Amino acid sequence: MDRNFSLGHKFITLTYEKPDVTLDEAAKDYENWVKRMRERYGDFKYLAVRSFQQRGTLHFHLLTDLPNIPRAELADGTFRDIWALGSVELKRIYSLRWWSAGIS
């Protein structure tokens, strides 16, 4: 992680709106999302983790080295609509301290 991600990179959470998603469906949806993202923003590195929410549905957490996303695309929903299956949360990495929390 330390060699591929740094300050200014992005942390993204992709969440499904619908409650029941199979692992195969989620894998296909995720691959399609990566393809659409690369078509729009160019190539980028990512590290993704698939997990289950408390309500039981899948979601994805990603670290990415995406370039800056235009504010207009964040405001008008263009960035969110690339996922189009639920909510999208985007955070810029401002500190790397939490990466190593609890690791000696």
Side-chain angles (χ1 to χ4, degrees):
M1 259 185 344
D2 293 341
R3 293 180 188 210
N4 290 296
F5 303 103
S6 61
L7 296 177
H9 287 166
K10 314 294 184 295
F11 179 77
I12 300 173
T13 302
L14 305 173
T15 304
Y16 280 96
E17 185 175 321
K18 65 182 184 174
D20 297 318
V21 179
T22 67
L23 292 175
D24 289 339
E25 182 181 4
K28 184 177 179 182
D29 291 341
Y30 180 78
E31 288 174 19
N32 288 333
W33 177 81
V34 170
K35 180 180 175 184
R36 290 189 303 270
M37 288 291 290
R38 286 187 167 147
E39 288 170 355
R40 180 143 192 108
Y41 301 111
D43 196 24
F44 62 95
K45 292 183 281 188
Y46 63 89
L47 174 67
V49 175
R50 178 187 65 205
S51 64
F52 290 91
Q53 295 180 299
Q54 286 183 330
R55 65 184 174 114
T57 195
L58 287 165
H59 65 220
F60 297 93
H61 297 285
L62 299 92
L63 294 175
T64 75
D65 69 345
L66 276 168
N68 286 329
I69 308 300
R71 286 184 187 266
E73 292 187 12
L74 295 172
D76 70 10
T78 299
F79 181 75
R80 181 193 65 241
D81 291 346
I82 295 171
W83 175 240
L85 298 169
S87 66
V88 176
E89 185 177 344
L90 172 73
K91 295 181 181 179
R92 188 169 180 211
I93 298 170
Y94 289 102
S95 171
L96 297 179
R97 277 200 224 169
W98 63 279
W99 295 117
S100 61
I103 299 174
S104 51

